[in-house]
Amino acid sequence: MYAARDISFFIGSKAILDSASVEVAPGKVVAIVGPNGAGKSTLLKVLAGEQRAGFAGSVMLDGTDLQSWDAVSLARKRAVLPQSVVVAFPFLSREIVALGLPQYFSRAEGGKLIARALKAVDLLHFSERVYETLSGGERQRVQLARVLVQLWANGGKGYLLLDEPTSALDLPHQLATLRIARQHADAGGGVLAILHDINLAAMAADEIVAMRDGRVIASGPPVEVVTDGLIQALYGVAARVRGVPDGPFLLPQTVIS
């Protein structure tokens, strides 16, 4: 279990997080949803160990306080995909993915994992492309390949922490990314993903955690959490869940893979 419990974090007098909790178990996909500024990314950073000071509450990874984990051991147990990554040098795509490999890994085995990960994100044909020449969505998929390699090189399980992994992607690659998350969970790993698309969250997640103003206001299976009342409470939008619009519409759940 990977758990952040009763996390509070302030900047000045402003509460970025207010007693927020989230848990990720092996075999599960958990989606965090909510409006901009709800504290989603901050909670993920606390869970990941990137925000190690200045907060109240506790973070436990497999029964041990996160503060007790050294950086190398932590990297073997969890991999983090941030919203954006700045690369200052003209690395090739495969070189970015290779950053997920441990130092001790053999070149031959590492090359196999890199090719496997690039194939998984549909970018094997771009392995020799300079990262900065790729589109935003392609860069996002290269970074996803990097975090996959990080966990694959350490047994293939562990926890994936994904901050808006579908934000720059077209529909086929959004669905492919969520399939990768599901496959990782089905193989015994755990996944926490921040998503803005409620439909994608409801389709892909075993549990949805809804946040607003730094607090968790609802959590549970999608069928229980995604309601008219929740949409109103989260976004201030009056909407009918399962309502049918007059014009054409497309739901990701209807895509035949």
Side-chain angles (χ1 to χ4, degrees):
M1 181 72 74
Y2 201 169
R5 298 190 175 99
D6 299 320
I7 304 297
S8 294
F9 179 69
F10 287 81
I11 295 180
S13 60
K14 179 175 176 58
I16 307 301
L17 295 171
D18 184 3
S19 298
S21 298
V22 64
E23 294 184 350
V24 187
K28 300 295 184 182
V29 177
V30 178
I32 302 180
V33 303
N36 295 333
K40 304 182 299 296
S41 293
T42 302
L43 182 58
L44 185 142
K45 288 178 181 178
V46 171
L47 192 72
E50 295 181 19
Q51 182 71 49
R52 284 186 170 261
F55 66 87
S58 65
V59 181
M60 305 293 289
L61 174 54
D62 291 346
T64 301
D65 193 299
L66 198 70
Q67 301 289 347
S68 300
W69 289 77
D70 63 82
V72 173
S73 298
L74 188 57
R76 291 172 179 161
K77 290 292 293 185
R78 68 93 182 95
V80 184
L81 178 66
Q83 286 187 34
S84 62
V85 179
V86 176
V87 176
F89 299 98
F91 288 113
L92 303 178
S93 297
R94 61 173 173 80
E95 291 174 326
I96 296 293
V97 180
L99 294 175
L101 292 170
Q103 285 185 324
Y104 60 79
F105 223 73
S106 74
R107 178 173 295 183
E109 291 302 310
K112 292 178 183 177
L113 284 187
I114 291 168
R116 176 186 165 194
L118 284 170
K119 184 177 180 179
V121 300
D122 192 27
L123 283 176
L124 184 58
H125 56 299
F126 278 178
S127 62
E128 300 298 320
R129 279 275 299 270
V130 175
Y131 178 79
E132 288 300 313
T133 68
L134 301 177
S135 70
E138 289 163 347
R139 294 181 197 179
Q140 196 169 32
R141 286 151 55 201
V142 168
Q143 294 295 338
L144 176 60
R146 174 184 59 79
V147 298
L148 289 174
V149 159
Q150 181 181 330
L151 293 185
W152 290 349
N154 290 288
K157 296 184 181 179
Y159 298 89
L160 279 174
L161 307 181
L162 311 175
D163 194 348
E164 298 189 29
T166 61
S167 60
L169 304 185
D170 56 28
L171 180 59
H173 291 111
Q174 288 179 359
L175 298 176
T177 295
L178 296 177
R179 278 196 296 271
I180 288 170
R182 181 76 266 163
Q183 289 164 358
H184 182 72
D186 289 345
V191 180
L192 179 71
I194 294 174
L195 298 172
H196 274 295
D197 190 314
I198 298 293
N199 284 318
L200 290 176
M203 180 182 72
D206 300 296
E207 179 181 353
I208 288 180
V209 175
M211 293 187 65
R212 183 177 179 86
D213 298 328
R215 296 181 294 110
V216 173
I217 65 170
S219 63
V223 70
E224 297 177 7
V225 172
V226 181
T227 64
D228 298 2
L230 176 82
I231 301 303
Q232 178 74 53
L234 274 184
Y235 304 107
V237 173
R240 291 179 296 127
V241 173
R242 298 186 182 89
V244 179
D246 293 332
F249 68 97
L250 172 67
L251 296 177
Q253 289 89 336
T254 64
V255 174
I256 302 172
S257 57

